[in-house]
Amino acid sequence: MSLPHAILTALLEKPSSGLELTRRFDRSIGYFWSATHQQIYRELGKLEQAGQIRALAPAQPARGQKKEYEVLPAGREALSAWVARPEDPKQIRDPLLLRMRAAAVVGAPGLDAELRRHLALHRRRLAEYLEIEERDFPPGRDASKDRLHHLVLRGGIDLENFWIGWLTRALDEDAGAAAADLG
């Protein structure tokens, strides 16, 4: 996924200013595709220059007023083409996995604490996702758009459950190996 596609998606959901997009990224899209304020504004400029979005005329002109953007037909076409294009899954690039591999070579002081910290972070993220699910997807809410949004959230829930299970297993195995080394 790329940032322009994330921005086009967000703007099709609701025309927004750059600041509003940044806030929406922090609350939703940012759970699986993050971007800084600067990256969003830079991309808005590129999309506008490419004729895929435009700034809406303000209701009342005022100095320093924030621009609100909407998607033009060319932007909708570009997003539709991207959605339909095949794309292979991306490889996982997680520094924790690389650090564990390195720890196998140079030793693992402090690795146990880092695994526990990651476990706590994934548990917190899972709790956030479950709260969002309860709040935003009550039983019986099944419009097509809602189903797809819920599937994305379920993917996040499943991924957090994976990490919690894997980290728990890694900590258990590490504790078992340490006990065997002492015994």
Side-chain angles (χ1 to χ4, degrees):
M1 181 173 177
S2 66
L3 182 55
H5 299 113
I7 291 173
L8 288 170
T9 299
L11 289 175
L12 281 168
E13 291 172 343
K14 179 181 181 239
S16 304
S17 68
L19 181 59
E20 290 166 338
L21 280 173
T22 301
R23 289 179 179 146
R24 288 173 58 204
F25 266 70
D26 289 344
R27 289 189 319 263
S28 62
I29 293 172
Y31 284 116
F32 54 90
W33 193 264
S34 62
T36 66
H37 188 79
Q38 292 84 5
Q39 289 171 317
I40 289 171
Y41 274 97
R42 188 171 39 247
E43 204 56 51
L44 284 169
K46 290 178 187 177
L47 289 167
E48 190 172 25
Q49 192 172 26
Q52 294 184 2
I53 65 170
R54 71 172 171 206
L56 296 169
Q60 296 179 354
R63 225 168 93 90
Q65 187 173 18
K66 59 186 173 190
K67 288 184 188 178
E68 190 167 277
Y69 296 91
E70 71 175 352
V71 177
L72 296 171
R76 182 179 284 277
E77 289 171 17
L79 186 60
S80 292
W82 176 77
V83 167
R85 186 179 72 219
E87 190 169 328
D88 293 338
K90 300 292 182 213
Q91 288 183 323
I92 294 175
R93 290 183 61 173
D94 190 302
L96 179 64
L97 299 175
L98 183 56
R99 289 171 62 203
M100 289 180 73
R101 178 79 183 248
V105 177
V106 298
L111 185 60
D112 187 65
E114 183 66 356
L115 292 174
R116 289 184 193 289
R117 189 179 76 79
H118 276 253
L119 180 58
L121 291 170
H122 285 288
R123 284 181 172 151
R124 275 199 299 273
R125 177 61 55 92
L126 176 61
E128 282 180 58
Y129 287 171
L130 292 173
E131 285 177 24
I132 292 168
E133 183 178 43
E134 186 176 319
R135 180 191 70 220
D136 294 350
F137 301 102
R141 184 173 168 184
D142 63 353
S144 177
K145 180 177 136 182
D146 289 340
R147 278 194 305 271
L148 293 176
H149 283 163
H150 194 191
L151 279 171
V152 171
L153 179 61
R154 288 297 318 165
I157 290 168
D158 291 347
L159 189 56
E160 294 306 322
N161 278 319
F162 160 78
W163 281 112
I164 290 167
W166 184 82
L167 286 161
T168 301
R169 195 168 38 256
L171 285 163
D172 289 347
E173 288 181 19
D174 191 45
D181 288 345
L182 294 174

